[in-house]
Amino acid sequence: MYALTCLPEVIACLFFIILLIFSTGGQSSRTVRTRIFVFTLICSLCVTLLNLGCIWCDVHPQLHSPETAKLINDLFFILLPLMPFSLTLYGLLVIYERSTNRSSILKRHLITMTVVCFLHLVMILANRDRHFLYFIDEAGIYHRGPLISLTYLHFLFCLLQSVCAFLPQRHQMDPYTCRVLQVVPLLSGGIVLIHFCFPQLQLNGTAMAAATLVVFGNFQNQRVSTDQLTGLFSRDLFYQETAQLFARKQSFRIVAVKLLDFKAVNRRHGQLAGDEFLKVIASRLQELDKTAFCYRFSGVQFVLITRLEGDLCQQLLRNIRALFSQPLEAAGIRCSIAAAMANISCPGMAPDVNTLTEALEYAVSLSAAEGKPVQFDRNVQQMWQRREHLIRLLRRALKEKAFYLEFQPIRDCLLDRFCSAEVLLRLRDEDGTPVSPGEFIPIAEQTGLIADISWQVLEMTCRFLSCHRQPWSLPLSVNVPIQQLLEPDAAGRILRTLQQYRIQPEQICLEITERTFSSDHEGVLGTMQILRQSGISFHLDDFGTGYSNLATVFSMPFSCVKLDKSLVDSLAQNRNTRLMIRSLVRSFGQIGTELVAEGVETPEQARLVQEIGIRRIQGFCYARPLGEKDFTRLIELQSNGCMPEGNSRVPNIIPAG
């Protein structure tokens, strides 16, 4: 009989020990909820062990004195309320987690529970003389008093307190937490009711074990939904919370903060110091608005959900800017950390979670590019919608092969003829109007579509050359991005494309920019060497806009270097620019590399360029970009000797648009 009576409590003790191990093991950060849950487990384990001691004293009175039995029973009844009270406090933290005035509400609940605990203690102390709850006879046997039912009042109080707190707040909680908070009172209340009806069964620990086991599921879910480094909520929980806010049609504002070039902090001070800075930033962001919910959205991006509006919201935004306007200190290190910041009002500017996420990503990237905070208003929304439209347009054009080419001839002023041409990618909008390359090319690069597009451009160029074999002497240069050159077997694919259309390697030049080979010099150089050995030449485009040094440029197999338009524009105003370019002409000439001046638009610019020794010119001064038919007609005229001599533009029979 003793074993049968003790078995539920022994099992409960094992449950508490297992839950303690799993709830405390491996955590790098301890929240208030974590501490209260662990405290609940410890209290429950202690009370259950005392209950087992009470049972043992009752079964074996000959092995102890009556005072020992009285002491163990008094301790059991004194500590008994701590089990439901600590569990209720944990539940209240969950219930009021999204409440703006949770601190004051929890304070009132805590005061009420403290008063009830004090009254219970007074009742237990009074029982030592009056024996109205329980008493131990001279033989050391436990007897229930006439008012023993009063010891269940604290359980009843906790149940009522939990229910009264839960009902008004249930719509602000996620469905999983709602189910947990619905099950716990019913489960623990049912077991207590069984114990009340059948007092010979010892189920105090069993009731708590069942309740804490259910709550442990929520606790584990909360741990999964919490970033273990900073203690902030995770991105998954952000999605859940915003989905609920949209479903309830509630107004809120999202503030996103993304740290810029944080890798430099890790490189300079180490990963551990970087982690400490992330903790400090997370803590400071939480302090700026204690009513907001703060999430670690990604490695270096934080997001706040706030209900603040008007002046209070503007003050919050100013405080966040001020946070990153001065050096931060962590692990004894002071460091300045730049951050991009954006905010968006919901549901006004974003009606659902997917739209919100995409709009927020765009606003943060815009803030990083412009170097200032961005508020997602109607103007930014139009810019974002335009970008999304162009992304769809690019994907459709890629799928349907709707891109088209134009060609801008390059003039050799010494030979007085066009010597080559650059292939330019073009795109039309749905209504047929041209889209500026300066608008869609950066988007193609950002979205990773540029490599697939470039393969199409190469194939279109080869197809064009295969259709105009005779007479054709002008090599065509095609722009290639780094993504294309770094693909596995990029050189082999390029050569196979040329072979497919029976194009000689000398007919194709590949143009790359400074930033292309500076990002992965060795990888790009390896591909270039394979293609150069096959007869394909390379041009360095936009020289003067990147950060490479001349030693690096000289080490690359370039047959031609194209000076960026910005250098050409400064020739007339800046004497130093003229001296520098004149020096470059001599240096590149000594290694057999030709120079081309890009963006030459006026006869004056053409004259200055030629005076400093550059013989090849590309720009509106001689020819605008031409469509396939006009470009073909131009080459036919030149081949037949019908082109006018001297520094004149393309003749009028060739349209300039």
Side-chain angles (χ1 to χ4, degrees):
M1 183 63 183
Y2 171 68
L4 182 62
T5 304
C6 292
L7 183 60
E9 299 296 270
V10 172
I11 295 175
C13 285
L14 293 176
F15 266 119
F16 292 135
I17 293 172
I18 293 172
L19 293 179
L20 268 171
I21 293 172
F22 277 96
S23 60
T24 58
Q27 267 194 293
S28 57
S29 61
R30 287 286 188 88
T31 63
V32 175
R33 282 172 57 176
T34 306
R35 295 189 181 97
I36 292 178
F37 185 77
V38 171
F39 178 73
T40 301
L41 293 175
I42 294 173
C43 288
S44 301
L45 178 61
C46 293
V47 171
T48 306
L49 289 173
L50 285 171
N51 193 28
L52 287 172
C54 293
I55 298 172
W56 181 83
C57 290
D58 199 32
V59 174
H60 302 285
Q62 69 279 6
L63 299 179
H64 60 82
S65 65
E67 288 301 321
T68 301
K70 185 179 294 186
L71 176 62
I72 295 175
N73 276 272
D74 286 346
L75 287 174
F76 168 75
F77 280 103
I78 288 172
L79 297 179
L80 186 60
L82 293 180
M83 290 196 305
F85 283 163
S86 56
L87 188 62
T88 300
L89 184 59
Y90 179 87
L92 291 174
L93 284 172
V94 175
I95 291 172
Y96 292 110
E97 186 175 43
R98 291 167 172 79
S99 177
T100 55
N101 56 339
R102 59 175 178 249
S103 298
S104 59
I105 295 175
L106 290 173
K107 186 176 181 180
R108 290 198 298 270
H109 280 291
L110 189 59
I111 291 173
T112 304
M113 287 190 292
T114 303
V115 171
V116 174
C117 278
F118 177 76
L119 294 176
H120 180 86
L121 177 61
V122 171
M123 185 173 63
I124 298 302
L125 294 177
N127 178 74
R128 293 182 63 89
D129 297 325
R130 300 176 182 268
H131 303 155
F132 55 88
L133 298 176
Y134 62 88
F135 65 93
I136 307 298
D137 61 19
E138 294 180 355
I141 304 298
Y142 169 84
H143 296 277
R144 295 164 62 89
L147 300 180
I148 186 63
S149 300
L150 292 177
T151 57
Y152 293 99
L153 287 178
H154 59 270
F155 280 103
L156 179 61
F157 171 79
C158 290
L159 287 175
L160 291 176
Q161 192 175 30
S162 299
V163 170
C164 291
F166 168 73
L167 291 177
Q169 299 290 325
R170 65 186 185 279
H171 298 299
Q172 299 186 20
M173 292 181 287
D174 61 90
Y176 179 81
T177 303
C178 276
R179 288 194 296 270
V180 169
L181 294 176
Q182 288 169 351
V183 169
V184 170
L186 294 175
L187 182 61
S188 57
I191 296 177
V192 170
L193 181 62
I194 293 173
H195 180 50
F196 179 77
C197 298
F198 302 96
Q200 68 275 16
L201 297 177
Q202 298 296 323
L203 300 176
N204 291 291
T206 306
M208 280 302 298
T212 51
L213 187 60
V214 175
V215 171
F216 184 71
N218 174 261
F219 173 75
Q220 284 296 99
N221 182 64
Q222 181 263 336
R223 285 183 64 182
V224 171
S225 302
T226 301
D227 176 59
Q228 295 299 297
L229 175 65
T230 62
L232 301 182
F233 297 126
S234 67
R235 177 164 53 185
D236 290 339
L237 202 60
F238 169 79
Y239 290 141
Q240 296 176 24
E241 176 65 23
T242 50
Q244 293 175 52
L245 291 171
F246 280 122
R248 295 194 295 267
K249 303 185 185 312
Q250 294 184 343
S251 298
F252 59 98
R253 183 172 293 275
I254 302 293
V255 181
V257 177
K258 183 177 183 179
L259 308 183
L260 302 178
D261 197 24
F262 193 74
K263 291 181 180 179
V265 177
N266 288 331
R267 287 195 301 267
R268 182 176 180 182
H269 302 292
Q271 185 72 44
L272 294 179
D275 289 346
E276 291 302 317
F277 275 107
L278 291 176
K279 292 179 184 179
V280 169
I281 291 170
S283 176
R284 297 285 295 275
L285 288 174
Q286 284 182 301
E287 291 174 359
L288 294 178
D289 182 5
K290 295 185 178 180
T291 65
F293 297 103
C294 195
Y295 304 81
R296 189 181 182 191
F297 195 73
S298 64
V300 293
Q301 184 167 341
F302 303 90
V303 174
L304 286 81
I305 299 180
T306 180
R307 303 293 183 87
L308 299 179
E309 291 294 343
D311 293 340
L312 292 177
C313 181
Q314 292 303 316
Q315 183 61 48
L316 171 63
L317 298 177
R318 286 193 293 270
N319 290 340
I320 295 176
R321 289 197 295 269
L323 173 63
F324 295 98
S325 65
Q326 53 191 354
L328 296 170
E329 185 171 349
I333 301 170
R334 287 177 61 83
C335 183
S336 295
I337 299 176
M341 191 178 82
N343 73 92
I344 179 170
S345 176
C346 301
M349 301 305 300
D352 54 60
V353 177
N354 290 334
T355 305
L356 168 62
T357 305
E358 294 172 1
L360 201 61
E361 181 181 354
Y362 174 75
V364 170
S365 64
L366 188 63
S367 173
E370 296 183 351
K372 62 181 181 180
V374 170
Q375 179 170 338
F376 194 88
D377 54 16
R378 294 297 176 189
N379 291 333
V380 177
Q381 184 183 49
Q382 291 176 0
M383 294 166 58
W384 170 62
Q385 290 173 344
R386 173 64 176 171
R387 182 178 187 273
E388 294 299 304
H389 168 72
L390 289 178
I391 292 174
R392 292 191 296 269
L393 189 66
L394 286 169
R395 286 175 175 157
R396 185 167 66 249
L398 188 60
K399 181 179 180 181
E400 300 174 359
K401 297 186 177 180
F403 295 104
Y404 67 99
L405 302 180
E406 288 187 346
F407 305 83
Q408 187 169 30
I410 297 175
R411 184 87 168 180
D412 189 321
C413 297
L414 184 63
L415 300 177
D416 199 21
R417 62 186 288 116
F418 293 111
C419 59
S420 63
E422 181 179 355
V423 178
L424 303 173
L425 178 65
R426 295 294 186 258
L427 175 67
R428 288 190 178 93
D429 211 332
E430 294 172 344
D431 59 1
T433 58
V435 181
S436 169
E439 187 177 16
F440 73 81
I441 293 294
I443 294 176
E445 293 175 342
Q446 294 163 10
T447 55
L449 297 172
I450 191 64
D452 291 335
I453 293 174
S454 297
W455 286 117
Q456 275 197 17
V457 172
L458 179 62
E459 187 174 351
M460 292 165 67
T461 303
C462 291
R463 189 183 301 118
F464 172 82
L465 288 172
S466 69
C467 295
H468 302 85
R469 295 189 182 276
Q470 296 295 336
W472 196 268
S473 58
L474 268 68
L476 299 181
S477 58
V478 180
N479 288 277
V480 292
I482 184 173
Q483 294 94 324
Q484 188 175 6
L485 290 178
L486 292 178
E487 285 185 8
D489 194 32
R493 184 175 176 181
I494 291 173
L495 294 174
R496 287 193 297 271
T497 302
L498 268 61
Q499 293 170 2
Q500 178 184 350
Y501 291 93
R502 293 183 297 170
I503 304 301
Q504 295 300 316
E506 294 78 11
Q507 293 180 270
I508 292 290
C509 303
L510 300 182
E511 289 193 10
I512 62 176
T513 62
E514 284 186 89
R515 65 178 183 273
T516 295
F517 66 79
S518 63
S519 58
D520 190 342
H521 179 273
E522 296 300 326
V524 174
L525 181 59
T527 302
M528 290 177 66
Q529 288 173 339
I530 295 174
L531 294 174
R532 192 71 187 90
Q533 292 170 2
S534 301
I536 296 177
S537 60
F538 284 89
H539 293 179
L540 176 60
D541 196 18
D542 299 332
F543 180 75
T545 61
Y547 302 97
S548 58
N549 55 56
L550 288 176
T552 303
V553 175
F554 289 151
S555 70
M556 308 290 281
F558 291 117
S559 61
C560 177
V561 173
K562 303 177 76 172
L563 298 181
D564 186 70
K565 185 180 184 301
S566 60
L567 292 177
V568 174
D569 290 341
S570 65
L571 282 175
Q573 293 82 22
N574 196 321
R575 179 175 176 272
N576 291 335
T577 301
R578 292 195 297 273
L579 293 175
M580 180 194 70
I581 295 178
R582 194 184 300 274
S583 175
L584 287 174
V585 171
R586 289 195 299 268
S587 299
F588 282 116
Q590 290 174 358
I591 62 173
T593 300
E594 193 71 54
L595 271 154
V596 174
E598 288 186 300
V600 178
E601 299 180 350
T602 66
E604 176 64 17
Q605 286 181 330
R607 183 185 62 79
L608 288 173
V609 166
Q610 293 178 68
E611 283 181 357
I612 61 177
I614 298 177
R615 55 184 285 189
R616 294 188 178 185
I617 295 176
Q618 177 181 351
F620 289 1
C621 180
Y622 290 108
R624 291 176 177 271
L626 303 172
E628 288 189 17
K629 291 182 179 180
D630 294 335
F631 179 59
T632 304
R633 177 63 176 156
L634 171 66
I635 302 307
E636 290 176 352
L637 289 173
Q638 179 169 279
S639 299
N640 296 330
C642 298
M643 291 291 292
E645 297 180 357
N647 294 334
S648 59
R649 293 183 74 250
V650 172
N652 292 334
I653 58 174
I654 303 298

